[in-house]
Amino acid sequence: MLNYHIKPEPDQQRLLLLDQRLLPGQEQYFVCRNADDVVQAIREMVVRGAPAIGVTAAWGCWLAALRLEMDGLDKSRYWEPLLNEALQKIAQARPTAVNLAWAVNRMREAWVDLGAPDLASLVKAWQAVAEDIHADDIELNIRMGGHGAALLEDGDTVMTHCNAGSLATAGYGTALGVIYAAVEAGKKIKVIANETRPWLQGARLTAFELQKAGIEVKVACDNACAILMQRGLVQKVITGADRIAANGDAANKIGTHGVAVLARHFGIPFYMAAPFSTFDFNCASGKDIPIEERAPEEVTQFRGQQIAPQGVPAWNFSFDVTPAALVTAFVTEHGIFKPPYFRSLKKLRERAGQL
Ligand code: MRU
């Protein structure tokens, strides 16, 4: 399991993040020493993937408090508004993946539970909470994989979109976790990694970690989905998700909706794997999910080189919403949930202890 990409170093008062922008060519760490570094790392895609940015955000809160302590602010009460400001910045670093706000809320709750702690006690308590969030994420991905593995058959070729693997989580992965678990159960699984324009998470990251794990992977252009499915080269599709609304509409990397439409057209099961922290029951439907729009240059340029004529604008929605009706089932750490989602997601909330 690739699990060295989010590396807190409390003794060095820093957080190291494997810079995913440079993979697969270089393995280099981005050093975070304060909340602003963490916000920059999340915004600029040093770390990405819904659960991974949640875990990073938790460490970011700890780092923000630690920084204030190191700057000697523990003697005054000024640290509280400064810390609140830092937490807000972290929670807003990217808008779509709900795991980010979820993690910051968990840190806030731990703060409230402590009453009115001094800064040193808060730093200590937050380190333990961040460690828990980090370890829980790996553990629940493994559980999710165990549930989802039953959906894959020996000999299947599975298509995935973007990267929902170890790199997108604290380790093991959501969609790729299901594939890892099926392989560990002795099934022979091949993977098609859609390249995932414009950041190429599929070609760079999914292919990187599957190759490292010894799983056969082939990269395909995003626009090759239809021919691959038409030729019977895909038996299942499984992706991750960034935010799932109460009715089962699910935001994931741009292009996922198109893959789901094609899967339905060709009669191929389309699964989404995500932890409970990715479900947002405050969003009634996909219409309420904020969709991040990133800089047009990410589309009109490639590695600094202009590829569209100068001055031509570009759409750059980072995510789209797959309607619940196209999702065959959700795989979570609490089991597999099938339509009708108004009923099954209620059961998910009960199992997660939320109802
Ligand atoms: O823009 P990214 O790379 O953060 O988008 C990531 C995705 O869309 C993933 O599929 C999603 O976060 C699920 S990760 C387990």
Side-chain angles (χ1 to χ4, degrees), residues 13-74:
Q13 296 89 32
R14 63 186 193 177
L15 170 70
L16 298 186
L17 298 170
L18 186 65
D19 193 335
Q20 298 194 27
R21 298 169 302 182
L22 305 176
L23 293 174
Q26 293 172 51
E27 295 196 25
Q28 249 180 54
Y29 284 95
F30 180 94
V31 182
C32 300
R33 295 187 188 280
N34 55 42
D36 285 342
D37 294 341
V38 171
V39 170
Q40 185 190 352
I42 294 172
R43 275 208 187 120
E44 297 182 7
M45 310 283 280
V46 169
V47 59
R48 29 66 49 202
I53 60 179
V55 172
T56 303
W59 284 114
C61 296
W62 162 76
L63 209 48
L66 179 66
R67 193 72 245 169
L68 291 171
E69 190 192 8
M70 285 167 67
D71 290 347
L73 277 139
D74 51 337

Side-chain angles (χ1 to χ4, degrees), residues 45 48-51 94 162-164 168 174 201 240-242 252-253 319:
M45 310 283 280
R48 29 66 49 202
R94 288 185 76 191
C162 194
N163 170 262
T174 56
Q201 289 94 330
D242 286 79
N252 191 49
K253 179 51 54 194
F319 300 93

Side-chain angles (χ1 to χ4, degrees), residues 246-248 324-325 327-330 336-348:
N247 70 344
V327 182
T328 310
F330 289 105
I336 293 170
F337 296 86
K338 294 189 175 157
Y341 292 120
F342 72 88
R343 193 175 303 145
S344 64
L345 295 188
K346 191 164 171 266
K347 193 168 277 169
L348 166 64

Side-chain angles (χ1 to χ4, degrees), residues 271-346:
Y271 301 114
M272 293 182 112
F276 186 65
S277 56
T278 298
F279 287 78
D280 183 354
F281 294 99
N282 293 318
C283 286
S285 79
K287 287 199 188 95
D288 304 316
I289 300 178
I291 299 293
E292 178 180 13
E293 283 190 64
R294 297 183 61 89
E297 290 73 26
E298 291 181 353
V299 176
T300 57
Q301 297 176 0
F302 185 73
R303 299 222 155 121
Q305 180 131 12
Q306 190 70 22
I307 52 172
Q310 280 291 354
V312 172
W315 292 108
N316 192 11
F317 290 111
S318 199
F319 300 93
D320 58 24
V321 176
T322 299
L326 295 177
V327 182
T328 310
F330 289 105
V331 182
T332 77
E333 70 273 34
H334 299 290
I336 293 170
F337 296 86
K338 294 189 175 157
Y341 292 120
F342 72 88
R343 193 175 303 145
S344 64
L345 295 188
K346 191 164 171 266

Side-chain angles (χ1 to χ4, degrees), residues 71-247:
D71 290 347
L73 277 139
D74 51 337
K75 313 278 179 299
S76 72
R77 248 16 231 179
Y78 291 130
W79 63 268
E80 287 189 6
L82 292 174
L83 189 54
N84 268 315
E85 204 178 294
L87 262 51
Q88 199 170 339
K89 272 199 220 157
I90 294 170
Q92 291 172 347
R94 288 185 76 191
T96 303
V98 72
N99 310 61
L100 190 54
W102 172 87
V104 174
N105 278 343
R106 259 199 72 180
M107 300 301 275
R108 272 194 198 283
E109 279 163 19
W111 184 359
V112 170
D113 287 349
L114 289 171
D118 57 58
L119 191 50
S121 314
L122 183 62
V123 170
K124 200 160 162 247
W126 269 4
Q127 184 180 329
V129 181
E131 271 160 8
D132 276 356
I133 291 176
H134 194 138
D136 280 358
D137 188 64
I138 299 176
E139 194 265 324
L140 65 84
N141 285 331
I142 293 172
R143 264 196 287 148
M144 192 185 313
H147 293 303
L151 299 170
L152 305 185
E153 282 163 64
D154 191 26
D156 274 352
T157 295
V158 180
M159 176 178 278
T160 190
H161 194 75
C162 194
N163 170 262
S166 292
L167 288 164
T169 60
Y172 205 66
T174 56
L176 294 195
V178 169
I179 292 168
Y180 292 138
V183 170
E184 282 159 24
K187 297 178 189 175
K188 173 111 183 79
I189 305 289
K190 292 184 192 168
V191 179
I192 294 176
N194 292 342
E195 66 173 352
T196 322
R197 279 277 292 151
W199 275 86
L200 305 178
Q201 289 94 330
R204 294 188 304 105
L205 309 176
T206 297
F208 170 77
E209 62 169 275
L210 288 173
Q211 188 187 48
K212 261 189 191 279
I215 295 175
E216 202 176 319
V217 56
K218 213 162 178 171
V219 172
C221 296
D222 296 332
N223 44 16
C225 279
I227 191 166
L228 292 168
M229 291 184 179
Q230 188 185 41
R231 291 190 173 197
L233 297 172
V234 180
Q235 279 71 54
K236 311 271 158 60
V237 178
I238 183 157
T239 72
D242 286 79
R243 191 186 298 230
I244 303 168
N247 70 344

